């Protein structure tokens, strides 16, 4: 059972466009929602994260929108560039084990930005 | 700082063989974890540890063992490799606690079981 559902599986956007990746979750115990970026042959790296008491967070060209009542959150990339081509994972932290940073990941989205 | 290191980068095993994937971190992080990455499945938690001597199972623990004798090292053992364990394995570490601490991932080990 996938606790965090991510869509789309792949996405192709022209340079300058705004790709949007969506995630949905069920577990109300999740308390922190990071996005990770992964380039081929590398490990994932933290891109941006949000807590559920905030509806939006921006860092540079990356924005997370969070809808707590709908249990959904999304990543928007403004003015996308070919260098943004990567696989993106949403995740949710399960704090049921005190202090443990257990993350549940979505299935991933392979994003391609065409020049 | 080297961050999180993993060895080997690539490994091919025959069904039934055993091996250990190595993971080390030099950031003095209490929390360490192992994930496997499969196409269309994202990253799934195998085992995790909240400190030396303390480990617990994640989402997909069957066929894997871990131990944590030091803060720095968290090896993953495949007891009897199966083709279903063909995957890319990532080790990660972070601080422990209720704060929003970043998890740092290693570069991964690509394992093929034939």
């Amino acid at each position: 059972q996938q606790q965090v559902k991510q869509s789309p599986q792949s996405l192709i956007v022209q340079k300058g466009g705004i790709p949007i990746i969506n995630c949905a979750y069920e577990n109300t115990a999740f308390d922190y929602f990071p996005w990770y970026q992964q380039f081929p042959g590398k490990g994932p790296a933290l891109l941006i994260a949000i807590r559920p008491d905030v509806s939006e967070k921006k860092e540079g060209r990356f924005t997370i929108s969070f809808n707590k009542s709908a249990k959904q959150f999304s990543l928007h990339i403004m003015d996308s560039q070919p260098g943004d081509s990567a696989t993106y994972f949403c995740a949710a932290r399960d704090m049921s084990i005190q202090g443990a940073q257990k993350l549940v990941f979505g299935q991933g989205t392979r994003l391609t930005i065409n020049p | 700082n080297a961050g999180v290191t993993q060895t080997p980068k690539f490994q091919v095993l025959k069904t039934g063989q055993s091996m250990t994937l190595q993971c080390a971190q030099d950031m003095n992080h209490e929390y360490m974890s192992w994930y496997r990455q499969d196409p269309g499945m994202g990253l799934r938690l195998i085992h995790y540890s909240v400190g030396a001597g303390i480990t617990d199972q994640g989402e997909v623990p069957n066929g894997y063992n871990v131990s944590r004798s030091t803060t720095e090292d968290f090896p993953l053992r495949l007891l009897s490799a199966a083709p279903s364990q063909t995957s890319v394995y990532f080790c990660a570490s972070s601080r422990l606690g209720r704060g929003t601490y970043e998890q740092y991932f290693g570069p991964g080990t690509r394992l093929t079981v034939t």
Side-chain angles (χ1 to χ4, degrees):
Chain A
Q1 180 185 358
Q2 196 79 28
Q3 293 193 59
V4 178
K5 296 184 178 179
Q6 182 173 346
S7 62
Q9 194 169 357
S10 64
L11 185 58
I12 301 174
V13 173
Q14 290 299 118
K15 177 184 172 184
I18 306 175
I20 300 172
I21 304 171
N22 299 299
C23 288
Y25 65 97
E26 289 295 327
N27 188 346
T28 55
F30 292 153
D31 72 337
Y32 169 65
F33 300 86
W35 284 87
Y36 281 80
Q37 181 187 54
Q38 184 183 31
F39 292 106
K42 304 293 186 183
L46 181 65
L47 181 65
I48 185 173
I50 197 167
R51 298 200 70 138
D53 53 351
V54 176
S55 61
E56 185 176 274
K57 183 173 182 180
K58 290 184 181 180
E59 286 186 4
R61 295 183 294 107
F62 300 92
T63 299
I64 301 177
S65 298
F66 190 87
N67 185 329
K68 187 174 181 179
S69 60
K71 298 201 211 61
Q72 295 175 347
F73 57 111
S74 59
L75 176 71
H76 302 229
I77 305 176
M78 307 301 289
D79 188 27
S80 58
Q81 302 296 315
D84 296 329
S85 297
T87 298
Y88 291 81
F89 294 97
C90 61
R93 184 176 71 174
D94 179 358
M95 281 293 284
S96 57
I97 304 297
Q98 186 71 21
Q101 305 284 328
K102 288 177 63 180
L103 293 180
V104 178
F105 283 85
Q107 297 92 323
T109 296
R110 179 173 291 186
L111 175 64
T112 303
I113 308 297
N114 286 331
Chain B
N1 283 355
V4 180
T5 58
Q6 292 182 238
T7 57
K9 286 188 70 68
F10 302 95
Q11 183 70 49
V12 179
L13 290 179
K14 294 188 187 303
T15 297
Q17 288 184 316
S18 62
M19 78 159 296
T20 299
L21 308 185
Q22 301 292 345
C23 173
Q25 52 91 12
D26 61 359
M27 298 173 281
N28 203 31
H29 285 163
E30 305 95 333
Y31 183 76
M32 296 186 73
S33 54
W34 277 101
Y35 294 88
R36 59 178 289 172
Q37 182 177 6
D38 303 291
M41 302 292 288
L43 292 98
R44 292 179 292 169
L45 183 64
I46 304 171
H47 285 285
Y48 66 95
S49 168
V50 296
I54 307 170
T55 65
D56 205 347
Q57 296 180 353
E59 184 184 354
V60 288
N62 291 341
Y64 308 96
N65 270 1
V66 292
S67 59
R68 184 103 178 264
S69 56
T70 67
T71 299
E72 294 78 19
D73 301 298
F74 190 43
L76 178 73
R77 297 182 188 83
L78 279 70
L79 308 173
S80 177
S84 61
Q85 293 178 304
T86 293
S87 188
V88 182
Y89 291 85
F90 289 99
C91 178
S93 75
S94 76
R95 290 178 60 188
L96 196 69
R98 293 201 65 84
T100 53
Y101 303 122
E102 178 176 353
Q103 284 206 31
Y104 295 86
F105 283 80
T109 294
R110 184 174 293 273
L111 175 68
T112 301
V113 182
T114 61

